[in-house]
Amino acid sequence: MRALVLAAALGASGCLNLDFFVFSARPARPGEDRFARSTVPPRLREYRDDLESRDDVKVTVYVAGHDGQEGDVGDPRRNRIGLLYCHGQSSWIGNVHGRVEALWRLGYTVAVFDPRGYGETKGTPTEVGVAADVDVARAWFEQRMGGADNVGLYGRSLGTALCLGSAATRSPRALALESTIGALQDFVNDSLAVDAPSEWLFDSVMDNNVNVQKHTGALLVMHGTADDFVQPKYSQKVFDLSDGHASPRALWLVEGATHSNVPCRDVSRPDDNDCVDGYNPEYVDRVTGLFDAALGR
């Protein structure tokens, strides 16, 4: 606690910026294979590293698509529905295949991108810069899928702030949030024994509480009750604040799930990011129910 109070004092004096903790950037390492963990046939993968964002940053994006031929999977009626996946801290295209491709196996066309500082996208993440990267990836994917009405957003952990920030500017028809963060001010309030404005510690705001009130499309909020990294009360608050704005909307608190395994059939595995025992049928029903109803017209 003393260390946190000291951090607040240093922040107030202009000596501290904890944005590096918020983003926890994860650049690709030399020689890493971005597709080493992929189960998608190579012909169905599209990789771009030239989407132009602000400050000359080139955003990388991977799309898992469908062609109906051998090795393809999922309900073909979903192929025209695009899902843009916003990953969380310490992740990049190369280590989120398990989650992204679980959605692909349902039949959706799924894109995941690396904002600046992550994977092979160069630069240092800032709230303004990353927001621009989200928007350029979203605009490119919407054009590829034939329009904004064919694309939904899916954010996980830090990715919920990325997706909701974009949704606040331009609401998608459907938005799924998993292990939702609230606002950085909430984090400061819960962490320090003294009142301190978040700007003492962070340049970023990352305010899902405000942004969710600007989203008018369908909304699904999911969180594990045993999450000790991001408390489930943040998802509850975001969901409550969506009342009168998002429609339809649903909250699913997954009993016993942690920050890592909300979608998993077996939540006794605390760090099972890839759900090796399979995906909870209720998760599948809720996610497909959201995106099929909003985008499957």
Side-chain angles (χ1 to χ4, degrees):
M1 184 63 70
R2 271 183 247 163
L4 290 171
V5 174
L6 176 60
L10 289 170
S13 67
C15 300
L16 190 65
N17 179 354
L18 295 181
D19 274 25
F20 71 91
F21 169 78
V22 174
F23 290 106
S24 189
R26 201 296 195 182
R29 302 180 182 110
E32 276 192 305
D33 179 1
R34 69 180 76 99
F35 291 122
R37 298 172 62 180
S38 177
T39 61
V40 175
R43 74 175 190 280
L44 299 179
R45 303 173 191 157
E46 180 178 358
Y47 183 81
R48 296 281 299 269
D49 61 2
D50 59 351
L51 303 189
E52 294 189 13
S53 186
R54 59 181 291 148
D55 306 326
D56 297 321
V57 169
K58 300 294 191 297
V59 177
T60 55
V61 60
Y62 157 54
V63 180
H66 298 273
D67 64 3
Q69 305 303 310
E70 184 177 356
D72 197 359
V73 296
D75 188 336
R77 292 173 295 182
R78 295 188 177 120
N79 294 176
R80 61 170 292 277
I81 298 175
L83 304 184
L84 181 66
Y85 188 90
C86 301
H87 65 64
Q89 290 180 328
S90 306
S91 295
W92 72 296
I93 285 171
N95 65 12
V96 295
H97 288 290
R99 293 304 197 85
V100 170
E101 294 177 7
L103 298 168
W104 171 79
R105 285 193 293 273
L106 297 173
Y108 301 113
T109 298
V110 187
V112 58
F113 66 97
D114 281 331
R116 64 193 63 203
Y118 295 84
E120 295 171 309
T121 302
K122 306 302 182 184
T124 300
T126 64
E127 185 169 19
V128 172
V130 166
D133 301 342
V134 177
D135 288 342
V136 73
R138 180 181 174 188
W140 175 84
F141 188 47
E142 287 172 343
Q143 183 177 32
R144 185 189 185 281
M145 295 303 299
D149 287 348
N150 299 325
V151 174
L153 305 183
Y154 189 122
R156 179 177 179 229
S157 191
L158 176 65
T160 64
L162 274 58
C163 281
L164 255 181
S166 185
T169 302
R170 185 166 54 87
S171 282
R173 285 194 170 185
L175 170 64
L177 303 175
E178 179 190 331
S179 303
T180 320
I181 66 174
L184 290 185
Q185 186 62 61
D186 290 337
F187 171 77
V188 171
N189 293 345
D190 288 343
S191 299
L192 296 178
V194 296
D195 292 333
S198 64
E199 57 263 29
W200 284 9
L201 302 175
F202 306 102
D203 285 342
S204 299
V205 177
M206 293 285 182
D207 199 341
N208 278 352
N209 300 332
V210 169
N211 288 337
V212 74
Q213 298 177 67
K214 301 175 184 178
H215 172 58
T216 57
L219 176 68
L220 171 62
V221 181
M222 303 171 281
H223 212 119
T225 62
D227 188 341
D228 59 3
F229 185 68
V230 176
Q231 298 178 58
K233 69 177 183 180
Y234 297 134
S235 275
Q236 181 71 62
K237 184 175 182 179
V238 165
F239 177 75
D240 291 344
L241 290 169
S242 72
D243 190 17
H245 307 284
S247 180
R249 64 195 189 103
L251 172 67
W252 183 37
L253 297 177
V254 186
E255 190 64 36
T258 67
H259 193 68
S260 301
N261 59 16
V262 165
C264 299
R265 185 185 298 273
D266 180 5
V267 296
S268 68
R269 297 174 179 265
D271 298 311
D272 192 5
N273 284 298
D274 291 342
C275 297
V276 296
D277 289 316
Y279 286 77
N280 185 340
E282 186 172 358
Y283 169 80
V284 174
D285 288 346
R286 286 179 178 271
V287 169
T288 57
L290 171 77
F291 291 116
D292 289 356
L295 302 168
R297 302 165 188 166

